[in-house]
Amino acid sequence: EDQVTQSPEALRLQEGESSSLNCSYTVSGLRGLFWYRQDPGKGPEFLFTLYSAGEEKEKERLKATLTKKESFLHITAPKPEDSATYLCAVQDSGNQFYFGTGTSLTVIP
Amino acid sequence: NAGVTQTPKFQVLKTGQSMTLQCAQDMNHEYMSWYRQDPGMGLRLIHYSVGAGITDQGEVPNGYNVSRSTTEDFPLRLLSAAPSQTSVYFCASRQGPTEAFFGQGTRLTVV
């Protein structure tokens, strides 16, 4: 059965304190791994897609990486506006999406 | 270009009532889906459609119906609301094996 596990559940960082969020997965035929950002009361907003192990994507202070078993979302020198819940999802060979429960990030000024 | 639009944003129902959550997209995407999001559970797929006239069940379909008469619209019907259906509902659309675009959600409370 396809599964996605995110850790930690919650993370509090000081502004400027870099860290990483983890997404571990088991999936039958990975077609893609997706990272989303979700603000309170909003729908998930797409950040990155990774397709194969070794791939990396960057956007501003965020960098996503992928191995055969997990993905990391690295946050460099975060700012308070980076506070949100970050969701990871995998797409299997049947084109179905499976989401993790997310990591709630709080960046303290 | 509005993307994915969901209505209503908030709804309170009494147990046993029925209602329809509306979802419309203007990106001409073939694939549309409905998810529910509950604390500690993540997003779970209710129903999905790969094109007009084609629908299928997801992980948690019981108590919900869908239809897809046009490419743009994908309504979700609650047949007889139950407190267990209290949740936040998201509609999403995508074109093939790409990222999904989500609506802003409908927060449903069943009392």
Side-chain angles (χ1 to χ4, degrees):
Chain A
E1 181 179 312
D2 297 344
Q3 282 190 318
V4 180
T5 303
Q6 291 188 246
S7 61
E9 288 187 14
L11 182 63
R12 289 172 64 88
L13 298 174
Q14 290 292 133
E15 184 172 0
E17 179 187 1
S18 301
S19 188
S20 296
L21 282 55
N22 177 263
C23 171
S24 63
Y25 63 90
T26 55
V27 65
S28 55
L30 179 72
R31 297 200 66 169
L33 185 139
F34 302 82
W35 282 98
Y36 287 85
R37 170 190 171 128
Q38 186 174 24
D39 293 297
K42 305 282 189 181
E45 177 186 345
F46 171 73
L47 292 173
F48 302 109
T49 308
L50 301 167
Y51 293 105
S52 57
E55 190 174 359
E56 299 181 352
K57 294 271 180 76
E58 285 190 68
K59 180 180 179 181
E60 296 181 357
R61 295 175 293 282
L62 300 177
K63 179 180 177 181
T65 61
L66 181 65
T67 72
K68 288 187 177 180
K69 293 184 178 180
E70 57 191 350
S71 176
F72 292 93
L73 185 66
H74 307 277
I75 303 175
T76 302
K79 297 182 177 181
E81 53 262 42
D82 294 322
S83 297
T85 295
Y86 291 85
L87 302 174
C88 170
V90 297
Q91 185 179 32
D92 68 8
S93 57
N95 281 334
Q96 295 304 325
F97 276 72
Y98 297 90
F99 283 83
T101 53
T103 293
S104 176
L105 173 66
T106 303
V107 182
I108 305 161
Chain B
N1 188 340
V4 179
T5 303
Q6 290 183 236
T7 56
K9 286 187 169 52
F10 301 93
Q11 183 71 49
V12 178
L13 288 179
K14 292 183 179 178
T15 297
Q17 286 185 316
S18 63
M19 79 158 294
T20 300
L21 308 185
Q22 301 292 343
C23 175
Q25 54 98 1
D26 61 1
M27 297 173 282
N28 203 33
H29 286 170
E30 293 178 350
Y31 194 105
M32 296 185 74
S33 51
W34 276 102
Y35 292 86
R36 59 179 289 174
Q37 188 174 40
D38 302 292
M41 299 289 288
L43 285 156
R44 292 183 292 168
L45 182 65
I46 304 171
H47 285 286
Y48 65 97
S49 167
V50 298
I54 306 169
T55 63
D56 206 345
Q57 296 181 351
E59 182 184 355
V60 287
N62 292 341
Y64 308 95
N65 271 357
V66 292
S67 60
R68 184 96 178 271
S69 57
T70 67
T71 300
E72 294 79 20
D73 300 299
F74 191 44
L76 177 72
R77 280 182 287 277
L78 279 70
L79 308 173
S80 177
S84 61
Q85 295 178 303
T86 294
S87 187
V88 182
Y89 292 84
F90 288 100
C91 177
S93 75
R94 59 185 168 91
Q95 186 66 18
T98 62
E99 69 274 13
F101 294 87
F102 286 83
Q104 293 298 293
T106 295
R107 185 174 295 274
L108 175 68
T109 302
V110 182
V111 298

Coordinates of all heavy atoms in Angstrom, one line a residue, chain A residues 31 34 36 38 41-46 49 51 87 91 94-101, chain B residues 31 35 37 40-43 45 48 90 94 96-105 107:
Chain A
R31 N 5.7 8.1 -10.0 CA 5.7 8.9 -11.2 C 6.1 10.4 -10.9 O 6.6 11.1 -11.7 CB 4.3 9.0 -11.8 CG 3.8 7.6 -12.3 CD 2.7 7.7 -13.3 NE 3.1 8.4 -14.5 CZ 2.4 8.4 -15.6 NH1 1.2 7.9 -15.6 NH2 2.8 9.0 -16.7
F34 N 5.6 15.5 -5.0 CA 5.2 16.9 -5.1 C 5.3 17.5 -3.7 O 4.9 16.9 -2.7 CB 3.7 17.0 -5.6 CG 3.5 16.4 -6.9 CD1 3.3 15.0 -7.1 CD2 3.5 17.2 -8.1 CE1 3.2 14.5 -8.3 CE2 3.3 16.6 -9.3 CZ 3.1 15.3 -9.4
Y36 N 3.8 20.9 -1.5 CA 2.9 22.0 -1.5 C 3.0 22.8 -0.3 O 3.4 22.2 0.8 CB 1.4 21.4 -1.6 CG 1.0 20.9 -2.9 CD1 1.3 19.6 -3.3 CD2 0.3 21.7 -3.8 CE1 0.9 19.0 -4.5 CE2 -0.2 21.2 -5.0 CZ 0.1 19.9 -5.3 OH -0.3 19.3 -6.5
Q38 N 0.6 25.1 2.4 CA -0.8 25.4 2.7 C -0.8 26.4 3.8 O -0.3 26.1 4.9 CB -1.5 24.1 3.0 CG -3.0 24.4 3.2 CD -3.8 23.1 3.5 OE1 -3.3 22.1 3.9 NE2 -5.1 23.1 3.2
G41 N -6.7 28.1 6.2 CA -7.9 28.5 5.5 C -7.8 28.6 4.0 O -8.7 29.0 3.4
K42 N -6.7 28.1 3.5 CA -6.4 28.1 2.0 C -6.2 26.7 1.5 O -5.9 25.8 2.3 CB -5.2 29.0 1.7 CG -5.2 30.4 2.3 CD -6.1 31.3 1.4 CE -5.9 32.7 1.9 NZ -6.8 33.6 1.0
G43 N -6.3 26.6 0.2 CA -6.0 25.3 -0.5 C -4.5 25.2 -0.6 O -3.7 26.2 -0.6
P44 N -4.0 24.0 -0.8 CA -2.6 23.8 -1.0 C -2.1 24.5 -2.3 O -2.8 24.5 -3.3 CB -2.5 22.2 -1.2 CG -3.6 21.7 -0.5 CD -4.7 22.7 -0.7
E45 N -0.9 25.0 -2.2 CA -0.3 25.8 -3.3 C 1.0 25.0 -3.8 O 1.8 24.7 -3.0 CB 0.1 27.2 -2.9 CG 0.8 28.0 -3.9 CD 1.2 29.4 -3.4 OE1 0.8 29.8 -2.3 OE2 2.1 30.0 -4.0
F46 N 1.0 24.7 -5.0 CA 2.1 23.9 -5.6 C 3.5 24.6 -5.5 O 3.6 25.8 -5.7 CB 1.8 23.6 -7.1 CG 3.0 23.0 -7.8 CD1 3.3 21.7 -7.5 CD2 3.7 23.7 -8.7 CE1 4.4 21.1 -8.2 CE2 4.8 23.1 -9.4 CZ 5.1 21.8 -9.1
T49 N 7.9 19.7 -8.2 CA 7.7 18.3 -8.6 C 9.1 17.7 -8.8 O 10.0 18.4 -9.4 CB 6.9 18.2 -9.9 OG1 5.7 18.9 -9.8 CG2 6.7 16.7 -10.2
Y51 N 11.0 14.0 -10.0 CA 10.6 12.8 -10.8 C 11.5 11.6 -10.5 O 11.1 10.5 -10.7 CB 10.5 13.1 -12.3 CG 9.4 14.0 -12.6 CD1 9.6 15.4 -13.0 CD2 8.1 13.6 -12.6 CE1 8.6 16.2 -13.3 CE2 7.0 14.4 -13.0 CZ 7.3 15.7 -13.3 OH 6.2 16.6 -13.6
L87 N 3.1 20.3 2.7 CA 2.6 18.9 2.4 C 3.4 18.3 1.3 O 3.9 18.9 0.4 CB 1.1 19.0 1.9 CG 0.1 19.7 2.8 CD1 -1.2 19.8 2.0 CD2 -0.1 18.9 4.0
Q91 N 2.8 10.5 -6.5 CA 1.9 10.0 -7.5 C 2.4 8.7 -8.0 O 3.5 8.5 -8.3 CB 1.9 11.0 -8.7 CG 0.9 10.7 -9.8 CD 0.9 11.7 -10.9 OE1 1.9 12.2 -11.2 NE2 -0.3 11.9 -11.5
G94 N -0.6 4.4 -11.1 CA -1.9 4.5 -11.5 C -2.4 6.0 -11.5 O -3.6 6.3 -11.7
N95 N -1.5 6.9 -11.4 CA -1.8 8.3 -11.5 C -2.5 8.8 -10.3 O -3.1 9.9 -10.3 CB -2.5 8.7 -12.7 CG -1.6 8.9 -13.9 OD1 -0.4 9.1 -13.8 ND2 -2.1 8.7 -15.1
Q96 N -2.6 8.1 -9.2 CA -3.2 8.5 -8.0 C -2.2 9.2 -7.1 O -1.1 8.9 -7.0 CB -3.8 7.3 -7.2 CG -4.9 6.6 -8.0 CD -6.0 7.5 -8.4 OE1 -6.4 8.5 -7.7 NE2 -6.6 7.3 -9.6
F97 N -2.8 10.3 -6.4 CA -2.0 11.0 -5.4 C -2.2 10.5 -4.0 O -3.3 10.2 -3.6 CB -2.4 12.5 -5.4 CG -1.7 13.3 -6.5 CD1 -2.1 13.1 -7.8 CD2 -0.8 14.3 -6.2 CE1 -1.5 13.9 -8.8 CE2 -0.2 15.0 -7.2 CZ -0.5 14.8 -8.5
Y98 N -1.1 10.4 -3.2 CA -1.2 10.1 -1.8 C -0.5 11.2 -1.0 O 0.7 11.5 -1.3 CB -0.6 8.7 -1.5 CG -1.4 7.6 -2.2 CD1 -1.0 7.2 -3.5 CD2 -2.5 7.1 -1.6 CE1 -1.8 6.2 -4.1 CE2 -3.2 6.1 -2.2 CZ -2.8 5.7 -3.5 OH -3.6 4.7 -4.2
F99 N -1.2 11.8 -0.1 CA -0.6 12.9 0.7 C -0.1 12.5 2.1 O -0.8 11.6 2.7 CB -1.7 14.0 0.8 CG -1.9 14.9 -0.4 CD1 -2.7 14.4 -1.4 CD2 -1.2 16.1 -0.5 CE1 -2.9 15.2 -2.6 CE2 -1.4 16.8 -1.7 CZ -2.2 16.4 -2.7
G100 N 0.9 13.2 2.5 CA 1.3 13.1 3.9 C 0.4 14.0 4.8 O -0.4 14.8 4.2
T101 N 0.6 14.0 6.1 CA -0.2 14.8 7.0 C 0.4 16.2 7.2 O -0.2 17.0 7.8 CB -0.3 14.1 8.3 OG1 0.9 13.8 8.8 CG2 -1.2 12.9 8.2
Chain B
Y31 N -8.5 16.1 -15.7 CA -8.5 15.3 -14.4 C -9.0 16.3 -13.3 O -8.4 17.3 -13.1 CB -7.1 14.8 -14.1 CG -7.1 13.7 -13.0 CD1 -7.0 12.4 -13.4 CD2 -7.2 14.1 -11.7 CE1 -6.9 11.4 -12.4 CE2 -7.2 13.1 -10.7 CZ -7.0 11.8 -11.0 OH -7.0 10.8 -10.1
Y35 N -11.1 15.9 -2.5 CA -10.4 15.4 -1.3 C -11.1 16.0 -0.1 O -11.8 17.0 -0.1 CB -9.0 15.9 -1.2 CG -8.1 15.4 -2.3 CD1 -8.0 16.0 -3.6 CD2 -7.3 14.3 -2.0 CE1 -7.1 15.5 -4.5 CE2 -6.4 13.8 -3.0 CZ -6.3 14.4 -4.2 OH -5.5 13.9 -5.2
Q37 N -10.0 16.9 4.0 CA -8.8 17.1 4.9 C -9.3 17.1 6.3 O -10.1 18.0 6.7 CB -8.1 18.4 4.5 CG -6.8 18.5 5.2 CD -6.0 19.7 4.7 OE1 -6.5 20.8 4.5 NE2 -4.7 19.6 4.6
G40 N -4.7 15.4 11.3 CA -4.0 14.2 11.5 C -4.2 13.1 10.5 O -3.6 12.1 10.6
M41 N -5.0 13.4 9.4 CA -5.3 12.4 8.4 C -4.7 12.7 7.1 O -4.6 11.9 6.2 CB -6.8 12.2 8.3 CG -7.5 11.8 9.5 SD -7.1 10.1 10.0 CE -8.0 9.2 8.7
G42 N -4.3 14.0 6.8 CA -3.9 14.3 5.5 C -5.1 14.4 4.5 O -6.2 14.2 4.9
L43 N -4.8 14.7 3.3 CA -5.8 14.8 2.3 C -6.1 13.4 1.8 O -5.2 12.6 1.4 CB -5.3 15.7 1.1 CG -5.2 17.2 1.3 CD1 -4.2 17.8 0.4 CD2 -6.6 17.7 1.1
L45 N -8.5 11.1 -0.9 CA -9.3 11.2 -2.1 C -10.7 10.6 -2.0 O -10.8 9.4 -1.6 CB -8.5 10.5 -3.2 CG -9.1 10.5 -4.6 CD1 -9.1 11.9 -5.2 CD2 -8.3 9.6 -5.6
Y48 N -12.9 10.9 -8.2 CA -12.1 11.6 -9.2 C -12.7 11.3 -10.6 O -13.5 10.4 -10.7 CB -10.6 11.2 -9.2 CG -10.3 9.8 -9.6 CD1 -10.0 9.4 -10.9 CD2 -10.4 8.8 -8.6 CE1 -9.7 8.1 -11.2 CE2 -10.1 7.5 -8.9 CZ -9.7 7.1 -10.2 OH -9.5 5.9 -10.5
F90 N -11.7 19.8 -0.5 CA -10.9 20.5 -1.6 C -11.2 19.8 -2.9 O -11.2 18.6 -3.0 CB -9.4 20.5 -1.3 CG -9.0 21.4 -0.1 CD1 -8.8 20.9 1.1 CD2 -8.9 22.7 -0.3 CE1 -8.4 21.7 2.2 CE2 -8.5 23.6 0.7 CZ -8.3 23.0 2.0
R94 N -6.0 18.9 -12.7 CA -4.7 18.8 -13.3 C -4.8 18.2 -14.8 O -5.9 17.7 -15.1 CB -3.8 17.9 -12.5 CG -4.2 16.5 -12.3 CD -3.2 15.7 -11.4 NE -3.7 14.5 -10.9 CZ -3.5 13.3 -11.6 NH1 -2.8 13.3 -12.7 NH2 -4.0 12.2 -11.1
G96 N -3.2 15.5 -16.9 CA -2.3 14.4 -17.0 C -1.5 14.2 -15.7 O -1.9 14.7 -14.7
P97 N -0.3 13.6 -15.9 CA 0.5 13.4 -14.7 C 1.3 14.6 -14.2 O 2.6 14.6 -14.2 CB 1.4 12.2 -15.2 CG 1.6 12.5 -16.6 CD 0.2 13.1 -17.1
T98 N 0.6 15.6 -13.9 CA 1.3 16.9 -13.5 C 0.8 17.3 -12.1 O 0.0 16.6 -11.5 CB 1.1 18.0 -14.5 OG1 -0.4 18.3 -14.5 CG2 1.5 17.6 -15.9
E99 N 1.3 18.4 -11.7 CA 0.9 18.9 -10.4 C -0.6 19.3 -10.4 O -1.2 19.6 -11.4 CB 1.7 20.1 -9.9 CG 1.4 21.4 -10.7 CD 2.3 21.4 -11.9 OE1 2.9 20.4 -12.3 OE2 2.4 22.5 -12.5
A100 N -1.3 19.1 -9.3 CA -2.7 19.5 -9.1 C -2.8 20.9 -8.6 O -2.0 21.4 -7.8 CB -3.4 18.5 -8.2
F101 N -3.8 21.6 -9.1 CA -4.2 22.9 -8.6 C -5.4 22.8 -7.8 O -6.4 22.1 -8.2 CB -4.5 23.8 -9.8 CG -3.2 24.1 -10.7 CD1 -2.9 23.2 -11.7 CD2 -2.4 25.2 -10.4 CE1 -1.8 23.4 -12.5 CE2 -1.3 25.4 -11.2 CZ -1.0 24.5 -12.2
F102 N -5.4 23.4 -6.6 CA -6.5 23.2 -5.6 C -7.3 24.5 -5.5 O -6.8 25.6 -5.7 CB -5.9 22.9 -4.3 CG -5.4 21.5 -4.1 CD1 -4.1 21.2 -4.5 CD2 -6.2 20.5 -3.5 CE1 -3.6 19.9 -4.4 CE2 -5.7 19.2 -3.4 CZ -4.4 18.9 -3.8
G103 N -8.6 24.3 -5.2 CA -9.5 25.4 -4.8 C -9.2 25.8 -3.4 O -8.3 25.2 -2.7
Q104 N -10.0 26.8 -3.0 CA -9.7 27.3 -1.6 C -10.4 26.6 -0.5 O -10.2 26.8 0.7 CB -10.2 28.8 -1.6 CG -9.4 29.7 -2.5 CD -7.9 29.7 -2.0 OE1 -7.6 30.2 -0.9 NE2 -7.0 29.2 -2.8
G105 N -11.2 25.6 -0.9 CA -11.8 24.7 0.1 C -13.2 25.1 0.6 O -13.6 26.3 0.4
R107 N -15.5 24.5 4.0 CA -15.5 24.0 5.4 C -16.9 23.6 5.7 O -17.8 24.5 5.8 CB -15.0 25.1 6.4 CG -14.8 24.6 7.8 CD -14.2 25.6 8.7 NE -12.8 25.9 8.3 CZ -11.7 25.1 8.7 NH1 -11.9 24.1 9.5 NH2 -10.5 25.4 8.3

